[in-house]
Amino acid sequence: MIITIIAFIIIFGILVLVHEYGHYFFAKRAGILVREFSIGMGPKIWWKRRHGTTYTIRILPLGGYVRMAGMDDDSDSLRPGLAVSLQLNDQGKVTTINASNQTTLFQGVPLRVVDFDLEKDLWISGYLSDDETEVKRYDVDHDATIIEKDGTEVRIAPLDVQFNSASLPARMMTNFAGAMNNFILSLVVFVIVGFMVAAIPTNSNRLGSVVDNSPAAKAGLKANDQITKINSTTVKNWDTMSSYISDQPGKKLQITYVRNGVTHHTSATTKKIVQNGQSYGQLGITEKTTTNFKARLGYGWHMFTYSATLIFTTLGHMFTRGFSLNDLGGPVAIYAGTSQATSLGVTGVLSFLAMLSINLGIVNLLPIPALDGGKLLLNICEAIIRRPIPEKFELAINLIGFAFLMLLMILVTWNDIQRYFM
């Protein structure tokens, strides 16, 4: 239980860190101010500000975010009538605006806000010490910070460092980089696993072994037999064969195979396996393996492409077979998967991490508003019409997408709880 929880937190943390670092890195390269880089959600438990970015760790290890200038609004922290304190430099410019009651500024100037502009002309005005006879106006430094209500100190967001001030290619790369990093992580981890396991699957149509008393054994199949056809489907590799068998639960299959250069024919009825509400076919055969160095090196790429194909196949089934919540999984499903992976040791956990990473990358690129793919779609539309997408339209689309994703997450989480724990 404890090991599963620790592994779950580490896996989730790595996935989020790698994904968000992609956005962070390319945003910085494009001159976009990253105001906050957060691992986790909810109340913060640690923060540090460095090179203009505030790094935070938050209490719930269920996500994270990169908060870029122009993607949020300081009116959430500042509003007319709010009592704040100001830190001034030697030139009388504001370097810090404290809008939190959780901290105090040394020799801070008390101000009740009347109005402010922290994007264009950079100023703030208000009444000093509640003296409403005069409105005092202060210039705000370009690199000034604001201490928000929860005590987090972040840079203000002038227009020249906002997301939309970057070029369109830079914005597109920033949106794509999170998924790209997940793909890179998946490939690297699969290569590492290839050098950790005892032997590497050959992905051939030749059998490694046959399980005793299995449907394959009863059909007369033996180790080293080469399966060339199942029903009318030609078999050239293990991926094709295992995928076809998996899609035929409890069905009789006509099998053509080669043994010692002689072609034979037999039939076998797959065993029906039900797992997580879905049915799979099983013959009781294992894949042939090798310890070749080149095969170990190529294992990473093979597993990467195989996993991507599997995910796209699953997405395709949602449209061809009908949508089901069982096709999706949230944090609860990931926790259950982590529990299974930890029972397989380090290689099991690493393989699960790699699979989740490519899954996260692909799902994030779906053209759904509020996801990276939805943002990229808006970027493409902007390139086609050759003018920026209206801000109100983009905000409305993203809000609708976010609401849809939150509703879907609630439904998926409840469905996962029923599947795995009830």
Side-chain angles (χ1 to χ4, degrees), residues 62-119:
L62 300 177
Y65 55 87
V66 168
R67 184 175 160 196
M68 301 178 210
M71 305 293 278
D72 56 357
D73 192 343
D74 281 322
S75 61
D76 292 339
S77 298
L78 280 182
R79 66 180 186 279
L82 182 70
V84 302
S85 61
L86 309 178
Q87 190 87 62
L88 307 179
N89 62 17
D90 294 339
Q91 289 74 44
K93 275 192 171 184
V94 176
T95 57
T96 304
I97 303 170
N98 182 14
S100 172
N101 57 13
Q102 297 185 17
T103 185
T104 58
L105 294 178
F106 179 67
Q107 294 184 338
V109 177
L111 187 81
R112 186 166 297 279
V113 178
V114 171
D115 202 359
F116 60 91
D117 177 2
L118 301 182
E119 291 188 339

Side-chain angles (χ1 to χ4, degrees), residues 44 64 77 80 128 150 160 258 315 362 394:
K44 69 180 186 305
S77 298
L128 285 177
D150 68 349
D160 64 304
V258 177
L315 290 172
I362 290 174
E394 185 173 351

Side-chain angles (χ1 to χ4, degrees), residues 258-325:
V258 177
R259 179 184 297 165
N260 299 325
V262 180
T263 299
H264 301 270
H265 302 277
T266 187
S267 63
T269 300
T270 62
K271 183 179 180 181
K272 184 178 180 180
I273 304 296
V274 179
Q275 187 176 16
N276 300 333
Q278 294 193 358
S279 299
Y280 303 94
Q282 193 177 84
L283 276 182
I285 54 178
T286 64
E287 190 173 0
K288 194 170 183 64
T289 60
T290 180
T291 57
N292 182 276
F293 178 85
K294 185 179 179 181
R296 290 183 182 277
L297 198 59
Y299 175 82
W301 177 251
H302 165 69
M303 287 302 300
F304 177 82
T305 54
Y306 173 73
S307 300
T309 302
L310 190 64
I311 294 166
F312 280 117
T313 300
T314 302
L315 290 172
H317 285 171
M318 291 183 187
F319 297 97
T320 58
R321 297 181 178 179
F323 174 77
S324 170
L325 287 175

Side-chain angles (χ1 to χ4, degrees), residues 9-274:
I9 293 174
I10 291 174
I11 288 173
F12 230 110
I14 292 174
L15 288 175
V16 171
L17 179 64
V18 168
H19 181 91
E20 298 302 338
Y21 183 77
H23 294 311
Y24 166 88
F25 179 80
F26 282 94
K28 286 274 195 177
R29 285 194 61 180
I32 301 167
L33 170 65
V34 177
R35 305 183 75 189
E36 183 182 358
F37 186 116
S38 175
I39 300 298
M41 308 293 282
K44 69 180 186 305
I45 56 178
W46 177 88
W47 70 276
K48 184 178 181 63
R49 202 163 63 85
R50 185 177 175 85
H51 300 311
T53 299
T54 300
Y55 301 89
T56 57
I57 296 177
R58 297 182 178 270
I59 197 166
L60 297 175
L62 300 177
Y65 55 87
V66 168
R67 184 175 160 196
M68 301 178 210
M71 305 293 278
D72 56 357
D73 192 343
D74 281 322
S75 61
D76 292 339
S77 298
L78 280 182
R79 66 180 186 279
L82 182 70
V84 302
S85 61
L86 309 178
Q87 190 87 62
L88 307 179
N89 62 17
D90 294 339
Q91 289 74 44
K93 275 192 171 184
V94 176
T95 57
T96 304
I97 303 170
N98 182 14
S100 172
N101 57 13
Q102 297 185 17
T103 185
T104 58
L105 294 178
F106 179 67
Q107 294 184 338
V109 177
L111 187 81
R112 186 166 297 279
V113 178
V114 171
D115 202 359
F116 60 91
D117 177 2
L118 301 182
E119 291 188 339
K120 297 179 181 177
D121 297 324
L122 305 183
W123 55 267
I124 186 170
S125 66
Y127 302 118
L128 285 177
S129 303
D130 287 331
D131 177 8
E132 298 187 7
T133 60
E134 180 185 5
V135 176
K136 183 72 173 177
R137 172 167 163 158
Y138 293 92
D139 290 332
V140 178
D141 188 79
H142 181 276
D143 297 335
T145 61
I146 179 169
I147 303 175
E148 300 175 317
K149 286 181 286 187
D150 68 349
T152 305
E153 186 175 4
V154 296
R155 281 262 305 271
I156 63 171
L159 277 178
D160 64 304
V161 292
Q162 289 190 9
F163 180 80
N164 286 329
S165 295
S167 67
L168 180 58
R171 282 182 279 138
M172 293 182 72
M173 190 64 225
T174 300
N175 286 330
F176 175 71
M180 180 188 72
N181 267 20
N182 283 126
F183 297 148
I184 294 172
L185 173 65
S186 178
L187 181 59
V188 169
V189 172
F190 273 134
V191 169
I192 292 173
V193 170
F195 283 92
M196 292 180 65
V197 296
I200 298 299
T202 60
N203 193 32
S204 69
N205 56 358
R206 196 174 295 276
L207 305 185
S209 65
V210 176
V211 179
D212 292 340
N213 298 317
S214 65
K218 293 174 182 177
L221 292 172
K222 296 181 180 180
N224 216 41
D225 284 348
Q226 187 176 10
I227 295 180
T228 58
K229 182 179 284 189
I230 302 178
N231 291 340
S232 59
T233 300
T234 300
V235 174
K236 293 184 178 180
N237 55 52
W238 180 265
D239 290 346
T240 302
M241 178 165 56
S242 61
S243 178
Y244 187 86
I245 293 170
S246 179
D247 288 340
Q248 308 296 321
K251 293 184 179 180
K252 187 174 183 179
L253 306 179
Q254 300 299 323
I255 301 172
T256 301
Y257 65 98
V258 177
R259 179 184 297 165
N260 299 325
V262 180
T263 299
H264 301 270
H265 302 277
T266 187
S267 63
T269 300
T270 62
K271 183 179 180 181
K272 184 178 180 180
I273 304 296
V274 179

Side-chain angles (χ1 to χ4, degrees), residues 338-352:
T338 303
S339 179
Q340 296 174 5
T342 52
S343 67
L344 300 175
V346 176
T347 56
V349 173
L350 288 176
S351 296
F352 185 60

